[in-house]
Amino acid sequence: MPTSIARQTERQLGGSRSVLVRQQRDHQELDRLVHAIDASTGRERLELLEDLARLVFPHAFAEESVLWPVIRRVMPEGPELTLQVEQEHQEINELWSQLERTTPGDGRHEELWPRIVALLREDVRDEEDEMLPRLQERVGRRELVRMGLMWEAVRRIAPTRPHPVVARRPPGNAVAALPLTVLDRSRDALDRTSRRREGRVSRVAGRLSSVAAGLAGRLEHVPPMTVGEDPSTRAGRTGRG
């Protein structure tokens, strides 16, 4: 069995610019944020959940756009492995979309959160122990660095919210990237303003965020954005749990 990237040094993984090191760092930050969320309440919890979303969803989008096509090309078992992780990503998207409609302390929030955490940890294990070490065996350091630079570029301009209707593969996810990124990052700023300000400014920011959310929900269903994925990862059809 290949060695998990979680047990390798930065040098073994190809250096600081390698996609494997970038993945490892994000996984470590995910673990830190999950623990912080578990220990938080109220507005602090909402702020940390937003931080986690801004980590998780661009990370997954960059994987699906940059890494998984390479894995499907260079590994005989690539299609099966990437589909398994895409199914995990899809279920996380669907559960997080439900979580966004809850409030900490309302019961439903506390029901959904452990399910999301379990899936996030399963996703990390599948990537660190299976997919990424096998990729490491098949490509050289130069290719790992090249993929790392591409992955980072995509991550920085990717959507930051769950979009369960959008395809998990090109061309759908590529078409969706720009409009949904603009809407998501606008919502992030508006939600922070709504939480941190009071009175009219808070109310207006909250209403504008709701308008942007509605627009994003409608855009998800535009046909080009739903094309390209495996049928098992379509909304409501993950076949898991």
Side-chain angles (χ1 to χ4, degrees):
M1 290 291 292
T3 303
S4 169
I5 71 165
R7 296 193 295 273
Q8 296 186 51
T9 66
E10 183 175 292
R11 182 176 180 181
Q12 289 174 312
L13 294 173
S16 61
R17 294 187 297 169
S18 164
V19 70
L20 302 181
V21 172
R22 295 175 194 270
Q23 290 272 305
Q24 186 186 68
R25 288 173 183 163
D26 269 14
H27 292 166
Q28 291 168 349
E29 176 65 3
L30 183 152
D31 188 63
R32 184 192 72 81
L33 285 169
V34 166
H35 285 296
I37 291 167
D38 284 338
S40 65
T41 58
R43 188 173 74 176
E44 180 188 8
R45 185 179 180 91
L46 293 174
E47 295 274 357
L48 288 167
L49 282 167
E50 183 178 292
D51 289 343
L52 183 59
R54 289 175 64 87
L55 174 74
V56 166
F57 295 109
H59 177 106
F61 186 91
E63 287 177 338
E64 293 166 353
S65 302
V66 176
L67 293 189
W68 295 178
V70 174
I71 288 174
R72 285 193 285 270
R73 186 174 70 247
V74 304
M75 294 164 52
E77 69 277 35
E80 178 182 348
L81 292 173
T82 57
L83 180 58
Q84 178 180 338
V85 174
E86 286 170 344
Q87 290 169 346
E88 292 165 1
H89 288 180
Q90 179 63 20
E91 190 167 3
I92 291 166
N93 267 256
E94 293 179 9
L95 290 174
W96 200 292
S97 293
Q98 296 177 47
L99 188 76
E100 288 187 326
R101 298 191 290 272
T102 69
T103 302
D106 68 4
R108 180 61 173 159
H109 182 97
E110 286 68 29
E111 176 191 345
L112 289 166
W113 173 243
R115 295 170 62 189
I116 291 171
V117 171
L119 280 166
L120 288 171
R121 296 202 187 285
E122 180 181 354
D123 183 58
V124 168
R125 287 193 302 270
D126 288 341
E127 293 175 9
E128 290 189 344
D129 298 346
E130 294 285 338
M131 294 178 65
L132 298 178
R134 294 185 187 189
L135 175 66
Q136 184 182 27
E137 291 179 336
R138 288 167 172 80
V139 301
R141 181 184 180 279
R142 181 175 297 179
E143 179 66 7
L144 291 173
V145 170
R146 186 192 71 81
M147 285 191 290
L149 295 173
M150 290 180 60
W151 181 87
E152 183 64 27
V154 172
R155 188 175 77 100
R156 288 177 178 272
I157 58 171
T160 60
R161 303 273 180 144
H163 296 287
V165 179
V166 171
R168 307 243 66 82
R169 297 183 182 183
N173 61 355
V175 173
L178 179 58
L180 292 180
T181 296
V182 171
L183 289 168
D184 285 358
R185 292 174 188 262
S186 298
R187 288 180 65 196
D188 292 342
L190 289 165
D191 286 348
R192 284 195 298 271
T193 299
S194 181
R195 285 194 299 270
R196 297 175 184 181
R197 302 289 293 273
E198 297 180 357
R200 184 174 182 275
V201 172
S202 176
R203 292 192 298 272
V204 170
R207 286 197 293 269
L208 289 174
S209 178
S210 295
V211 170
L215 180 56
R218 290 190 292 274
L219 276 175
E220 285 185 21
H221 291 83
V222 175
M225 300 186 189
T226 61
V227 175
E229 67 183 334
D230 185 273
S232 69
T233 61
R234 290 175 186 157
R237 296 178 61 183
T238 58
R240 295 167 53 87

